[in-house]
Amino acid sequence: MTPEQLAAAIRQALQAAVDEGAFTAPVPDEVRVERPKQREHGDWTTNIALQLAKPAGMPPRELATTLATRLAATDGIASADVAGPGFVNISLDAASAGELARTIVEAGADYGRTDTGAGTRVNLEFVSANPTGPIHLGGTRWAAVGDSLARILEATGAQVTREYYFNDHGAQIDRFARSLLAAARHEPTPEDGYAGAYIDEIAARVLDIEPDALSADDPQERFRAIGVDLMFAEIKKTLSDFGVEFDVYFHENDLHESGAVDRAIERLKALDAMYEKDGAWWLRTTAHGDDKDRVVIKSDGQPAYISGDLAYYLDKRERGFDEVIIMLGADHHGYVSRMMAMCALYGDEPGRNLQILIGQMVNLVKDGQPVRMSKRAGTVVVLDDLVQAVGRDAARYAITRTSIDSPLDIDLDLLAKRSNDNPVFYVQYAHARTCNVARLAAEDGVRREDGFDPALLSDPTEAALLAILGELPRVVEQAARLREPHRVARYLEDLAGRFHKWYDTCRVRPQNADEPVTDVHRTRLWLNDATRQVLATGLGLLGVGAPERM
């Protein structure tokens, strides 16, 4: 019995009680079941009696007793007991619990997927590093977390567009072009410019492509045009090698050249969301919680930086996206209030139509000391440095397993270890071990199709393993709803731990050549393969490989 099937059984029991006059209250369309904090309290618990007590006009424990009595008589439920102020703790019989193994194997990669996000179009913007240098560790965090969040949202049925905002307009690009030109002329780096070996490399490549670039009418423009394309091509390749692909690369310059900024301003003026003062046009952001109104058009008639944000958000909504999610670094906290005010001024709902996620800093640590410099970038550590040090899987997993609200120190020494202390090794090794169990079982003639008796999965380690396997759909839904991919990683680590304990206790293969293959072996193979599927699914949601051998 899956958690969804149990929730349906609870709802049916409640509806039957209402139909028979035991109490009167609206039965909700969905009933939540959760794992009790202590295993001895049962397989599942529900607080539905506490929720319905007030509308039913009866004490919670009395309603819970009515529900527990009906559930105890339900096929597949061994017991249902009332606890505390009105919780109902439920234990499944072994056969009902064990049936989950077959459900998972037969569902394959679809197990864990839900439809809670079906019908929702999501625009997820992440990384969006300026094309002025390699992706630093802050962008690396968003690359891993953003791509994982997109995969998780898609697992709930949402239609997700991964979008990269290409900042090819403004002062930073000019500084980049001046830096390239100085490098090509063998001059010192401009005071406000970019330094590092990558600048020399790109400057040389510009000259390879256009040998006469230094003698052009506007050499800085030639180095800007060619250099930005080269840098961005390198960024794209770095991200692709990291397992991150984007559906849309949106150029900031297009907003200004297409008239999108002017259209956004006219829309806001029509909504009375702007006013003129001191020769400038201001946005009424204080009306929705910002600390001050924001200048959109300066007194000299030039658009302020926020004008591009106004146009870009409106463009996304006009493209049909229900939810716009933007991932930003820790230095953007002050940006949130003005963006949420902008959302409200358009008539949208902040926190739903527009969501902004802020991620904290990332540091690399080796030998207990911070790693501060990149050999190539010169001033910061970049994505390629991390992948070169520990590999793509370890890098993605290490980043994604920690909440974005917390600063992250990545221990390079730990991630290089092939031991259980290394969390990505621990989880991947569990998957490889399930594959090895299946290979060896096949050699001994243990085949799933020859038998399955879920009642035989009665060992405590089997009950614990089945219990956590049943949690995957809830974990995926919660990770999507809260925008927290790290919940999937932590779930996988718990699952790996329970699998390893089961592996140490229960044999899938006969112990020796004289021992016959029985339904116990075959049924345990179902459980092993169910675990393999869930581990592979979870690792896939994080963009991490599921190796079959290690």
Side-chain angles (χ1 to χ4, degrees):
M1 181 180 290
T2 66
E4 292 76 16
Q5 291 169 334
L6 176 59
I10 294 171
R11 191 181 183 285
Q12 291 172 3
L14 289 169
Q15 190 61 60
V18 169
D19 292 344
E20 294 172 15
F23 61 87
T24 301
V27 177
D29 292 334
E30 295 185 6
V31 174
R32 293 186 66 84
V33 295
E34 297 180 341
R35 306 296 307 173
K37 293 181 179 179
Q38 295 178 291
R39 184 72 182 84
E40 59 269 23
H41 290 172
D43 296 312
W44 300 97
T45 187
T46 180
N47 66 350
I48 189 64
L50 293 167
Q51 297 176 33
L52 295 182
K54 186 173 181 179
M58 60 192 302
R61 281 188 63 90
E62 183 179 338
L63 196 155
T65 300
T66 299
L67 174 60
T69 300
R70 292 176 177 275
L71 289 175
T74 302
D75 289 343
I77 294 178
S79 64
D81 303 303
V82 179
F87 294 96
V88 179
N89 293 336
I90 303 162
S91 296
L92 305 179
D93 62 38
S96 179
E99 189 63 38
L100 178 64
R102 178 158 58 187
T103 297
I104 293 171
V105 171
E106 292 179 346
D110 287 336
Y111 179 72
R113 300 184 68 87
T114 71
D115 60 0
T116 55
T120 303
R121 293 192 62 201
V122 179
N123 181 285
L124 180 58
E125 180 197 335
F126 59 105
V127 184
S128 295
N130 293 329
T132 55
I135 296 174
H136 56 67
L137 285 183
T140 301
R141 186 172 205 176
W142 282 135
V145 174
D147 184 61
S148 296
L149 179 57
R151 294 166 186 253
I152 290 167
L153 291 171
E154 287 170 338
T156 67
Q159 182 180 341
V160 182
T161 294
R162 297 161 173 82
E163 187 150 314
Y164 188 115
Y165 187 54
F166 186 127
N167 186 341
D168 55 354
H169 181 92
Q172 289 180 323
I173 297 297
D174 291 338
R175 289 164 51 199
F176 178 65
R178 290 199 303 273
S179 301
L180 293 177
L181 182 58
R185 289 173 171 169
H186 305 290
E187 297 174 351
T189 300
E191 186 175 340
D192 61 347
Y194 297 94
Y198 79 96
I199 290 291
D200 295 329
E201 293 169 9
I202 293 176
R205 290 171 64 191
V206 171
L207 291 175
D208 287 341
I209 294 170
E210 191 171 310
D212 297 331
L214 285 172
S215 58
D217 291 341
D218 187 349
Q220 182 173 312
E221 171 57 25
R222 298 311 303 145
F223 276 85
R224 186 204 67 78
I226 301 172
V228 166
D229 285 347
L230 290 172
M231 188 72 254
F232 198 51
E234 187 171 312
I235 288 172
K236 286 183 179 180
K237 182 180 185 305
T238 296
L239 289 169
S240 181
D241 291 344
F242 199 51
V244 178
E245 304 287 349
F246 286 88
D247 303 300
V248 174
Y249 290 95
F250 192 98
H251 290 251
E252 180 188 11
N253 208 42
D254 291 345
L255 292 172
H256 297 271
E257 294 184 353
S258 68
V261 171
D262 293 335
R263 290 196 301 274
I265 290 171
E266 291 307 313
R267 169 76 68 87
L268 289 165
K269 286 180 179 179
L271 293 169
D272 195 30
M274 296 182 66
Y275 63 92
E276 189 175 12
K277 177 184 174 183
D278 299 330
W281 279 93
W282 300 70
L283 191 65
R284 301 180 190 275
T285 52
T286 53
H288 295 279
D290 197 7
D291 60 344
K292 62 181 179 181
D293 288 342
R294 305 289 171 171
V295 174
V296 178
I297 300 295
K298 294 182 285 188
S299 57
D300 63 2
Q302 294 299 309
Y305 185 82
I306 194 175
S307 64
D309 296 327
L310 303 178
Y312 190 31
Y313 174 74
L314 181 61
D315 178 85
K316 290 179 179 181
R317 292 286 283 135
E318 289 180 340
R319 280 187 271 153
F321 293 107
D322 306 298
E323 297 178 0
V324 173
I325 304 175
I326 305 174
M327 296 180 159
L328 298 172
D331 57 340
H332 285 75
H333 275 288
Y335 182 79
V336 176
S337 59
R338 75 190 69 171
M339 290 296 289
M340 290 304 177
M342 172 208 70
C343 172
L345 288 167
Y346 273 126
D348 286 348
E349 182 182 342
R352 187 181 73 83
N353 298 117
L354 176 61
Q355 302 164 41
I356 298 178
L357 306 181
I358 299 290
Q360 297 302 313
M361 299 297 292
V362 182
N363 299 297
L364 296 189
V365 176
K366 184 172 179 59
D367 300 325
Q369 299 297 320
V371 178
R372 298 193 179 279
M373 296 189 65
S374 167
K375 292 180 180 178
R376 183 160 183 262
T379 55
V380 294
V381 178
V382 297
L383 191 159
D384 288 332
D385 297 323
L386 176 59
V387 172
Q388 184 176 2
V390 300
R392 187 178 91 176
D393 283 350
R396 286 192 62 138
Y397 191 94
I399 291 171
T400 311
R401 73 183 293 266
T402 301
S403 169
I404 61 171
D405 295 330
S406 303
L408 174 60
D409 288 335
I410 298 178
D411 189 331
L412 298 179
D413 299 314
L414 176 64
L415 292 180
K417 290 182 178 178
R418 294 177 62 82
S419 73
N420 289 341
D421 294 332
N422 178 352
V424 66
F425 177 87
Y426 187 63
V427 174
Q428 288 185 316
Y429 180 64
H431 181 269
R433 179 174 262 185
T434 64
C435 295
N436 190 53
V437 167
R439 282 193 298 268
L440 295 176
E443 291 176 6
D444 289 344
V446 182
R447 302 192 308 171
R448 287 200 316 255
E449 56 268 32
D450 290 342
F452 178 70
D453 183 354
L456 297 175
L457 298 175
S458 56
D459 188 89
T461 61
E462 290 171 328
L465 183 53
L466 285 162
I468 195 168
L469 290 172
E471 286 279 84
L472 179 64
R474 183 190 64 81
V475 170
V476 172
E477 186 278 328
Q478 190 177 56
R481 177 168 46 86
L482 299 176
R483 312 313 194 212
E484 294 181 344
H486 72 273
R487 292 178 178 271
V488 174
R490 298 305 176 130
Y491 166 80
L492 291 174
E493 291 166 34
D494 289 343
L495 172 57
R498 296 197 196 188
F499 170 75
H500 290 312
K501 288 180 181 178
W502 172 74
Y503 175 89
D504 291 338
T505 303
C506 298
R507 293 187 59 84
V508 174
R509 305 165 62 201
Q511 192 160 6
N512 53 64
D514 296 331
E515 182 184 347
V517 174
T518 69
D519 278 350
V520 171
H521 301 112
R522 300 182 187 103
T523 303
R524 285 176 176 169
L525 181 58
W526 281 88
L527 180 55
N528 176 81
D529 291 356
T531 305
R532 177 175 59 183
Q533 178 61 64
V534 172
L535 286 167
T537 296
L539 287 167
L541 291 173
L542 302 180
V544 175
E548 296 187 2
R549 298 177 186 270
M550 290 183 71

